[in-house]
Amino acid sequence: MKQDKIFLSIVIPCFNEEKTLKDIVEKVICNTKKYRIEILIVDDFSTDNSIKVINNLQKKYKFIRLLAHNNNQGKGAALRTGFNNLSDSDITIIQDADLEYDPSEYEKLIEPIIKKNSDVVYGSRFLSGSERRVLYFWHRYANGLLTFLSNVFTNLNLTDMETCYKVFKTKILKQITIEENRFGIEPEITAKISKMNLVIYEVGISYHGRTYEEGKKIGLKDAFRALFCILKYNIFR
């Protein structure tokens, strides 16, 4: 796979992210100049000015596509919509619409696919010495517990199952049917790739987490749903 020929799809689920959406899209574009790209922004029925921001971005960049939901469904549903509308790209990257994850790390995220023939890459917030904002103890503990339980059933040795940065060969991603509508997509997709005899890598990434006051959306009920999904997609499927 020649690097200058690579076609990247970046799928960005969006719900009420008018404050950060333009910045994150500009960062994505700035860090993908050597690739052919498409950016699929899936608006999950935002009630702020997110759609207006996307429309303005589309006027400037022809490779941006807007996919809009008629009602709020959740991150998993937004990603499902994005995945169902992918072009025949080489690699697909999931990118949140906030500024917690840094697109400057795309190159090292896709390197295992380019150089080592990996099928899937997870960006781990806990694997490296990269900078990480210090926030909630219980979030970190819950993440570690969910990752551990997921690993027990998948027999993978991931350090960060809940990471946003999941990167796939697009042809692999198109073989996966997403069922979860909310944050249960993380253990669901992990369970499903674990059964596909794939080459999976992890790379360390930085993380600039948000507080709830700054717009963080995941909560306790999502942790319980993730636990349910670990059991559902590993044991009952």
Side-chain angles (χ1 to χ4, degrees):
M1 188 183 293
K2 293 183 178 180
Q3 192 156 326
D4 60 348
K5 300 291 185 181
I6 291 172
F7 181 10
L8 297 181
S9 295
I10 299 97
V11 180
I12 305 178
C14 172
F15 177 65
N16 289 348
E17 297 289 1
E18 64 172 339
K19 294 179 180 179
T20 59
L21 186 55
K22 182 178 183 296
D23 286 344
I24 198 64
V25 169
E26 296 284 0
K27 285 177 179 288
V28 168
I29 294 168
C30 180
N31 286 282
T32 54
K33 293 185 182 300
K34 66 173 69 174
Y35 311 107
R36 178 186 170 200
I37 69 168
E38 66 172 356
I39 299 176
L40 287 72
I41 305 176
V42 186
D43 184 80
D44 195 31
F45 202 62
S46 293
T47 55
D48 63 0
N49 290 314
S50 292
I51 288 285
K52 183 178 179 180
V53 173
I54 300 168
N55 288 335
N56 288 335
L57 287 166
Q58 282 187 299
K59 293 174 183 177
K60 186 175 180 181
Y61 303 108
K62 301 303 181 185
F63 48 75
I64 292 178
R65 296 162 59 194
L66 167 62
L67 304 166
H69 287 171
N70 293 324
N71 59 296
N72 180 254
Q73 300 175 48
K75 180 179 179 178
L79 288 175
R80 179 169 60 241
T81 296
F83 298 162
N84 288 341
N85 286 274
L86 289 170
S87 300
D88 291 325
S89 58
D90 299 302
I91 298 172
T92 298
I93 302 172
I94 298 173
Q95 172 70 59
D96 281 351
D98 53 41
L99 296 171
E100 292 190 335
Y101 293 82
D102 188 352
S104 69
E105 298 182 298
Y106 281 3
E107 190 160 358
K108 70 177 179 180
L109 284 165
I110 67 175
E111 183 177 4
I113 295 177
I114 297 170
K115 295 185 177 179
K116 304 180 187 300
N117 202 33
S118 172
D119 299 299
V120 181
V121 179
Y122 277 41
S124 173
R125 295 165 287 181
F126 313 118
L127 188 62
S128 75
S130 297
E131 63 185 26
R132 177 168 58 89
R133 183 178 178 181
V134 176
L135 279 174
Y136 303 114
F137 167 78
W138 287 110
H139 275 210
R140 175 65 183 91
Y141 185 83
N143 186 302
L145 177 61
L146 291 171
T147 297
F148 170 78
L149 291 173
S150 175
N151 287 345
V152 166
F153 291 105
T154 61
N155 198 30
L156 301 176
N157 62 341
L158 294 169
T159 63
D160 192 4
M161 179 269 294
E162 292 279 349
T163 181
C164 156
Y165 270 169
K166 294 179 173 69
V167 185
F168 306 83
K169 286 182 178 177
T170 302
K171 64 182 180 181
I172 297 296
L173 190 55
K174 288 185 175 183
Q175 298 174 39
I176 302 171
T177 300
I178 300 301
E179 301 171 55
E180 290 298 308
N181 285 337
R182 287 183 54 80
F183 293 99
I185 185 178
E186 313 295 2
E188 176 194 0
I189 205 166
T190 303
K192 289 179 175 178
I193 65 171
S194 74
K195 300 173 183 179
M196 296 175 68
N197 192 30
L198 303 175
V199 178
I200 303 169
Y201 272 70
E202 249 188 341
V203 298
I205 58 169
S206 61
Y207 180 62
H208 311 279
R210 296 190 295 181
T211 65
Y212 285 103
E213 292 76 18
E214 292 167 335
K216 194 170 190 68
K217 298 179 177 70
I218 194 167
L220 183 61
K221 67 179 181 180
D222 296 304
F224 284 113
R225 181 66 189 182
L227 177 59
F228 172 79
C229 289
I230 290 171
L231 301 176
K232 176 180 178 180
Y233 295 104
N234 286 290
I235 296 178
F236 303 113
R237 293 293 179 86

